[in-house]
Amino acid sequence: MRKNWLFSLLALGLTALTVQGGCVIIPEVKTKIVELVASGTACDTLDTTGDLNMHDDFDVADLSNLDIQQILEDAGIDVSDVDSVAVFGITYKTTQPDSRSDREIVNGNVTVTRGSYNSGTQVFTPSTGAVDVITNFNVLVNSVTTDQTAPVSAGGIALLNQILNDLLNEAKGLGPASNTAIQYHVTGVSNPQGIATDFKWRICVKINIKGKVEVDVVE
Amino acid sequence: MMVRMLRTALLAALAFTAYAPPAAAQLEDNLGSLTGDNAKGYLNPLVDGLSATMNSSVFHTGRIPKQGVMFRVGAQLMGVNFDDGDRTYTPTDPPGFTGTGSVKAPTVIGDTKSVSQPGQGGTTLYHPGGFDIGEFAFAAPQLSIGSIAGTMATIRWISIDLGDSDLGKFDLFGLGAQHSISQYFQDAPFDMAVGAFYQSFKIADTLVDAKTWHFDVTGSKSFSILQPYVGIGFDSIDMKSEYTDNATASTISVDFDPQSNFHFTLGSEANFKILQLYGELNFAAQTGVAVGLSFGN
């Protein structure tokens, strides 16, 4: 009988301890401010058909096509709650391989120039000088590749970040952003020499945006 | 009176089950900026949290009658505390980014502040904040029916769609059984049963898709209204996550490494004829506690 009471007391104590220790099992809803990250990508495909010995190409991309407002809406971030926007990297990939299995581009470089672009006349008007954004990349273009990380330079990244900040300010209603186009100039030695190139590749600028959201969390 | 109590218990179960995941809709947005490897690091504490809670408070007794009507319906509420080490992970560089230094980024339960990682050429990669959760609670309505040849079936099921709210949509289904071992022994000093239980838990269909197995041997002995019990068993969890990369709009699937662990339970049931209350300590993937109540016999 005494033994039974001892067991009962032990069991009761265990029950009480379990329930009492249970702040973890009494959930409550708390509203918290969470820093969220949204990301976006601006890509352009280049066709190298016919280049001989030297791959040398100009193209223009308008970063205003990176719809910051839409990226934020998709992520549920109000533009007024955005802290910062920045380029986190540039990638390149071969989308259509060259017919020659030994085709490669060596000592490739990309510079960028900020300016405005008139799509009607197709005239680019620079507002800055050209700065390096990718330096000394080497790539075999005999097969379709996945995204490769480009070796980037501080000058070009700073220029791109400045355009992104102007676009963010525009989204916040702090005035229109101007000169949001970039002209990029790609150069590189095409091997084997004396045989025209015939491949396509794609370059992508990757950005991320940091903002705050209010979230109901249960704990 | 009985019907009213039963209805209240079921509503409580529904409400508590809705509390299980941390802001599912927002979770998908946070994942959208992460590569598969980093999403794995970000979500990893959920694997242990779900394993420890889902596999708790399943069986509360080793006493399964050989024959007769046994019916219990109720709600179980399980909770675990996370370790400080679960609050951060070390991210890997996504395509396009070359970090110049390693950082500790918040996991889903970590600090709400994001972390900036400097990269080559002045690039900056932001890692999203977590939800700053110290504890993780999981609840489930549960129905047990028996007994045929000393066997009792147990079911957990709930499906809730909270629409556009932060909590989102989730589904839980569990099915298992316990079989009395002590029925095969004359004058056994205590009751004993073996059990197996399978569960599937989904947040937003594919955002989190966890499947668990729990096996155990439960021993119990009745002393008046109290029935202490001990469970020794084994848990496993297999979790997947699927979300949309918000940079490329492509779908990313993340398979977490299946995990298994030992599970020890120490608990007690207080039986007030038609109402049973449970409390237990669980030492499993995480150490936690669970409570529950049920109505039945």
Side-chain angles (χ1 to χ4, degrees):
Chain A
M1 184 65 182
R2 179 180 164 76
K3 196 176 168 188
N4 277 2
W5 271 108
L6 278 175
F7 272 121
S8 297
L9 201 62
L10 182 68
L12 184 65
L14 181 61
T15 307
L17 176 70
T18 310
V19 175
Q20 181 272 333
C23 60
V24 299
I25 51 174
I26 303 172
E28 59 178 308
V29 179
K30 290 182 180 171
T31 301
K32 297 183 178 180
I33 306 294
V34 175
E35 286 188 350
L36 178 62
V37 178
S39 51
T41 306
C43 296
D44 195 25
T45 299
L46 294 103
D47 188 345
T48 69
T49 306
D51 287 355
L52 203 60
N53 302 336
M54 193 70 187
H55 174 41
D56 190 333
D57 202 358
F58 284 92
D59 210 341
V60 175
D62 197 331
L63 289 185
S64 64
N65 292 333
L66 249 176
D67 193 340
I68 287 181
Q69 189 73 49
Q70 190 60 51
I71 293 170
L72 294 174
E73 272 179 30
D74 290 346
I77 304 174
D78 190 283
V79 70
S80 63
D81 292 322
V82 172
D83 290 338
S84 51
V85 57
V87 172
F88 75 83
I90 297 178
T91 58
Y92 59 91
K93 68 182 285 189
T94 304
T95 55
Q96 177 190 299
D98 198 279
S99 52
R100 286 194 62 98
S101 62
D102 55 350
R103 173 70 63 199
E104 62 174 349
I105 300 296
V106 296
N107 195 24
N109 292 286
V110 181
T111 64
V112 284
T113 306
R114 183 174 181 176
S116 60
Y117 182 66
N118 185 322
S119 56
T121 60
Q122 296 192 326
V123 172
F124 176 80
T125 308
S127 62
T128 67
V131 288
D132 288 332
V133 69
I134 301 174
T135 52
N136 196 27
F137 72 94
N138 303 301
V139 59
L140 268 172
V141 288
N142 55 9
S143 64
V144 172
T145 63
T146 55
D147 282 330
Q148 309 293 306
T149 299
V152 294
S153 296
I157 296 299
L159 182 143
L160 294 172
N161 280 340
Q162 187 56 56
I163 299 174
L164 291 174
N165 275 295
D166 290 349
L167 288 168
L168 177 61
N169 286 335
E170 182 182 66
K172 285 182 170 181
L174 302 175
S178 59
N179 299 315
T180 56
I182 52 167
Q183 182 185 58
Y184 51 96
H185 181 200
V186 186
T187 56
V189 175
S190 173
N191 290 327
Q193 298 277 293
I195 303 167
T197 57
D198 182 22
F199 67 91
K200 289 179 183 171
W201 65 290
R202 193 181 71 170
I203 183 169
C204 292
V205 176
K206 294 174 172 269
I207 69 161
N208 53 178
I209 307 169
K210 184 176 75 169
K212 295 186 180 79
V213 288
E214 201 172 81
V215 182
D216 287 334
V217 177
V218 179
E219 61 173 318
Chain B
M1 181 69 175
M2 172 73 180
V3 173
R4 194 172 159 192
M5 285 172 75
L6 197 62
R7 196 170 56 204
T8 306
L10 285 172
L11 282 173
L14 284 170
F16 279 143
T17 307
Y19 286 168
Q26 202 57 53
L27 181 60
E28 179 154 28
D29 287 335
N30 280 20
L31 287 174
S33 62
L34 296 171
T35 58
D37 282 345
N38 289 340
K40 206 182 257 191
Y42 185 78
L43 285 179
N44 205 46
L46 271 190
V47 180
D48 279 352
L50 282 171
S51 175
T53 52
M54 287 173 69
N55 290 314
S56 291
S57 201
V58 178
F59 304 123
H60 309 105
T61 183
R63 187 167 61 89
I64 314 292
K66 198 168 183 177
Q67 295 293 339
V69 178
M70 193 170 175
F71 172 86
R72 286 184 178 185
V73 61
Q76 317 299 323
L77 183 58
M78 298 74 82
V80 293
N81 273 310
F82 286 109
D83 298 330
D84 283 349
D86 293 327
R87 292 177 66 82
T88 58
Y89 74 105
T90 304
T92 57
D93 291 346
F97 179 75
T98 306
T100 52
S102 130
V103 294
K104 291 277 188 188
T107 62
V108 65
I109 65 157
D111 197 273
T112 56
K113 296 218 177 306
S114 63
V115 166
S116 299
Q117 183 176 12
Q120 183 205 33
T123 53
T124 305
L125 180 66
Y126 302 122
H127 300 280
F131 295 94
D132 191 22
I133 300 167
E135 302 92 24
F136 182 82
F138 188 94
Q142 183 166 311
L143 171 70
S144 296
I145 304 173
S147 165
I148 299 170
T151 304
M152 183 168 70
T154 297
I155 299 166
R156 288 178 175 177
W157 178 80
I158 196 163
S159 179
I160 295 178
D161 188 350
L162 295 173
D164 292 333
S165 77
D166 284 341
L167 297 175
K169 175 179 186 287
F170 39 97
D171 303 273
L172 169 72
F173 173 74
L175 182 64
Q178 247 187 321
H179 181 73
S180 171
I181 297 298
S182 43
Q183 68 174 319
Y184 301 112
F185 300 96
Q186 292 277 331
D187 302 322
F190 55 90
D191 297 306
M192 189 165 71
V194 291
F197 200 68
Y198 165 82
Q199 289 175 92
S200 164
F201 177 65
K202 293 180 179 182
I203 301 175
D205 292 328
T206 55
L207 180 62
V208 171
D209 182 357
K211 290 177 173 53
T212 66
W213 275 102
H214 171 73
F215 302 95
D216 80 3
V217 177
T218 304
S220 67
K221 191 170 178 69
S222 294
F223 302 98
S224 181
I225 61 165
L226 289 173
Q227 184 189 82
Y229 58 91
V230 173
I232 297 172
F234 174 83
D235 297 337
S236 72
I237 183 167
D238 192 359
M239 188 169 124
K240 293 178 180 159
S241 177
E242 205 171 278
Y243 60 95
T244 304
D245 180 333
N246 60 24
T248 61
S250 57
T251 300
I252 294 183
S253 295
V254 181
D255 277 325
F256 292 80
D257 296 332
Q259 288 188 19
S260 54
N261 54 274
F262 173 76
H263 192 144
F264 178 70
T265 304
L266 198 57
S268 181
E269 171 191 304
N271 193 333
F272 303 100
K273 293 195 185 295
I274 60 161
L275 170 70
Q276 296 84 38
L277 300 174
Y278 315 99
E280 64 179 45
L281 298 171
N282 289 282
F283 305 92
Q286 298 273 1
T287 301
V289 295
V291 293
L293 84 166
S294 65
F295 297 91
N297 59 352

